[in-house]
Amino acid sequence: MNARPFIHDDFLLESEPARRLYHEVAEHLPIIDYHCHLPPRQVAEDHRFANLAEIWLAGDHYKWRAMRAAGVEERFITGDASDWEKFETWARTVPRLLRNPLYHWTHLELRRPLGITDRLLGPDTAAGIWEECNARLAGPGFSCRGILERMNVALVVTTDDPVDDLAHHRRAAADPGLRVRMLPAWRPDRGMAVEDPAAFNAWLDRLAAAADVEIRDFDSYRAALQRRHAYFHEHGCRISDHGLETMYAEDFTRPRIEAIFGRLRAGQSVAPADIAAFKSAMLYEFAVMDHERGWVQQYHIGARRNNNSRMFAALGPDSGFDSIGDLPLADALNRFLDRLDREDRLARTIVYNLNPRDNAVVATAIGNFQGGGVPGKLQFGSAWWFLDQLDGMTRQIEDLSQLGLLSRFVGMLTDSRSFLSYTRHEYFRRLLCNILGQDMVRGLIPPDFELVAGMVRDICHDNAVRYFGFDLPPAAA
């Protein structure tokens, strides 16, 4: 008799109510991925991956960090080793991952969509899994679009620089064969990255060309951004996203910001206090633009990036050398939101923290500015990056439950560059159903299946559709 596979139908579901909530409600709901880093070109061109290493290991700094910790030489991570050598090295690493979230994610992704359920990945199974998965990737239904459809993804929102021409979004939108909607999101981080004036000015030149505006001073800079913001809106964008080490809400005056911009445009460095003031001014300007067009604004706060200077010089950003930051958050976050609220310019807002110590800070700060007849106008965003695992997601759900309204939560996102990472939605849904099911068993919430099922359906799908205003059909009850 065959033993039950490690990732089985009832994985993480520890009670009968949890199993019912997941299998009868959450499991088959379409995925609304309102923040990801999928390359729009690959969706538009319906890219097909050459092998399992390309789709699974290229660009995945989660796996790279684990391999380094396991003692793997960089050649087999980001170096010149062959794809098979990199995959085989990853397979040898996987048995070392017990209790690391990558162990769950790896086997969830092998199960869906790759169909490997009867083996764990390791050195003894690597060759067989490599051959079977490569054969599937070469077959029908395993192109980029095919994978999205297999995973029941209804919509993806990518992350796009204001200078992007959105050509791949236009191509995708015009393609009647694409059954998954793809929309851009406005990510203007480079518009306030003034620590390096040369890099900032190079980006300003690209912005000027994209907007067809000569950027001479702060007014023309704002005009160029406004023109690009309108361009993104015309192409379906309704969401902005900001990656911040901390929130910025310093006092500033318009003449001071104009003077700072003038020095920057002249290629001059500016003092740390002026950098903070300029960032504060730009966050405010971006927020006003979002409110004027009815967008949702997202703030991903707390990453300390590129900490290993030697490896940053060798590999560049996003290569696995970022970590959690610990800068203060509460004062600036409340001041920033308060100014916008006071001026009636506060858009629907999602705040994500990367440091778990800030959970209660964020959950209580957003409660100060709810209202206006908008359910869950301010959102405590889902656990992300280092926190999108069982403990981090559980803490986020528990803190939101105790300090806000879990029932209004817009649910999970991938925040990923990988087409295989949609099992993170499954992971989240299993965990959510298990928490609620256990509460029903313990008598902490009523054992009313339809009541709780409605909450699950809202969190996993319907709240996001309503909150973002996506033109999508309702999920079947």
Side-chain angles (χ1 to χ4, degrees):
M1 183 176 181
N2 292 332
R4 186 166 68 167
F6 172 58
I7 304 295
H8 51 82
D9 286 347
D10 294 333
F11 178 63
L12 301 184
L13 305 174
E14 300 173 312
S15 67
E16 183 57 29
R19 290 186 282 273
R20 284 195 64 199
L21 288 169
Y22 180 71
H23 292 304
E24 296 181 27
V25 183
E27 182 175 11
H28 301 294
L29 288 170
I31 289 173
I32 310 296
D33 192 13
Y34 54 87
H35 173 70
C36 74
H37 296 275
L38 294 183
R41 175 191 293 272
Q42 291 186 341
V43 177
E45 296 178 353
D46 200 16
H47 178 77
R48 188 173 288 275
F49 295 94
N51 55 49
L52 192 51
E54 182 191 355
I55 192 173
W56 219 20
L57 299 178
D60 191 337
H61 50 82
Y62 287 84
K63 294 185 177 75
W64 295 353
R65 286 171 69 94
M67 293 169 78
R68 291 175 186 132
V72 173
E73 295 179 19
E74 194 67 28
R75 173 174 177 262
F76 297 98
I77 302 171
T78 61
D80 60 359
S82 69
D83 283 352
W84 159 249
E85 289 174 314
K86 290 178 178 178
F87 175 76
E88 194 272 336
T89 305
W90 168 244
R92 285 191 281 108
T93 303
V94 168
R96 303 290 186 183
L97 299 177
L98 294 178
R99 303 206 81 240
N100 184 291
L102 281 165
Y103 197 80
H104 285 172
W105 295 344
T106 293
H107 292 99
L108 280 164
E109 292 169 8
L110 283 174
R111 183 175 187 257
R112 295 180 61 239
L114 294 170
I116 304 294
T117 61
D118 59 342
R119 285 155 288 170
L120 299 175
L121 180 58
D124 56 331
T125 61
I129 288 175
W130 172 260
E131 292 173 3
E132 289 184 38
C133 291
N134 286 348
R136 287 191 175 94
L137 290 171
F142 279 91
S143 63
C144 287
R145 296 183 185 185
I147 292 170
L148 292 173
E149 292 171 11
R150 282 176 178 273
M151 299 304 290
N152 199 21
V153 179
L155 181 144
V156 296
V157 180
T158 61
T159 307
D160 307 275
D161 191 289
V163 304
D164 196 300
D165 65 5
L166 303 182
H168 303 303
H169 285 87
R170 293 199 304 272
R171 177 177 174 181
D175 187 346
L178 178 58
R179 293 195 285 269
V180 179
R181 290 189 65 195
M182 181 173 69
L183 297 175
W186 166 269
R187 180 73 173 249
D189 292 359
R190 293 182 182 178
M192 49 188 278
V194 296
E195 293 85 352
D196 182 343
F200 180 61
N201 275 297
W203 183 82
L204 287 179
D205 291 341
R206 294 179 62 200
L207 175 67
D212 194 21
V213 171
E214 182 183 356
I215 299 178
R216 305 175 307 279
D217 51 24
F218 188 68
D219 280 343
S220 53
Y221 177 44
R222 288 179 68 251
L225 288 170
Q226 284 278 12
R227 182 169 290 190
R228 296 305 296 169
H229 201 272
Y231 179 85
F232 269 56
H233 190 84
E234 292 166 3
H235 287 79
C237 180
R238 298 295 183 270
I239 303 173
S240 72
D241 184 68
H242 306 262
L244 306 169
E245 191 169 0
T246 190
M247 209 69 196
Y248 297 93
E250 301 296 319
D251 292 331
F252 61 86
T253 64
R254 182 63 178 270
R256 181 184 180 190
I257 299 305
E258 291 172 345
I260 293 170
F261 185 85
R263 293 198 299 274
L264 289 166
R265 197 62 172 133
Q268 301 173 16
S269 297
V270 296
D274 287 338
I275 290 174
F278 190 83
K279 288 178 181 287
S280 300
M282 292 315 303
L283 277 183
Y284 173 77
E285 294 288 348
F286 291 138
V288 170
M289 292 181 203
D290 291 347
H291 180 265
E292 288 175 347
R293 289 198 169 87
W295 289 12
V296 174
Q297 56 192 7
Q298 301 180 100
Y299 299 96
H300 284 83
I301 303 172
R304 195 179 192 286
R305 299 176 186 272
N306 306 318
N307 297 285
N308 187 321
S309 57
R310 176 178 59 85
M311 295 304 290
F312 176 70
L315 300 176
D318 303 321
S319 51
F321 301 99
D322 306 323
S323 57
I324 293 172
D326 63 352
L327 294 178
L329 176 60
D331 181 65
L333 177 60
N334 278 283
R335 290 178 64 198
F336 175 76
L337 296 174
D338 182 61
R339 178 179 180 180
L340 295 170
D341 181 77
R342 188 171 65 246
E343 297 177 358
D344 193 23
R345 288 173 160 176
L346 181 57
R348 287 162 291 158
T349 302
I350 307 177
V351 181
Y352 309 82
N353 58 285
L354 192 55
N355 193 323
R357 69 149 196 209
D358 294 327
N359 278 17
V361 169
V362 173
T364 55
I366 65 171
N368 298 328
F369 304 100
Q370 301 284 16
V374 180
K377 178 178 179 179
L378 273 77
Q379 291 275 327
F380 177 18
S382 64
W384 66 294
W385 201 339
F386 293 108
L387 303 184
D388 59 356
Q389 26 77 2
L390 285 181
D391 180 67
M393 289 193 290
T394 299
R395 290 192 198 185
Q396 190 270 348
I397 289 170
E398 294 291 354
D399 287 329
L400 176 56
S401 299
Q402 304 304 320
L403 302 171
L405 291 183
L406 180 64
S407 61
R408 292 302 193 185
F409 182 34
V410 294
M412 189 58 176
L413 45 78
T414 62
D415 192 37
S416 172
R417 295 169 175 80
S418 171
F419 285 84
L420 294 183
S421 64
Y422 283 98
T423 49
R424 293 184 193 177
H425 285 261
E426 175 184 343
Y427 202 53
F428 169 82
R429 292 175 180 187
R430 287 178 180 272
L431 175 62
L432 174 69
C433 292
N434 192 58
I435 290 171
L436 295 174
Q438 293 287 62
D439 281 354
M440 294 169 75
V441 170
R442 296 169 62 198
L444 298 178
I445 61 176
D448 182 335
F449 182 79
E450 292 305 320
L451 174 66
V452 183
M455 183 177 181
V456 169
R457 186 176 297 108
D458 280 345
I459 294 170
C460 294
H461 182 272
D462 291 355
N463 283 347
V465 173
R466 290 188 289 258
Y467 184 77
F468 294 101
F470 294 138
D471 182 20
L472 294 171

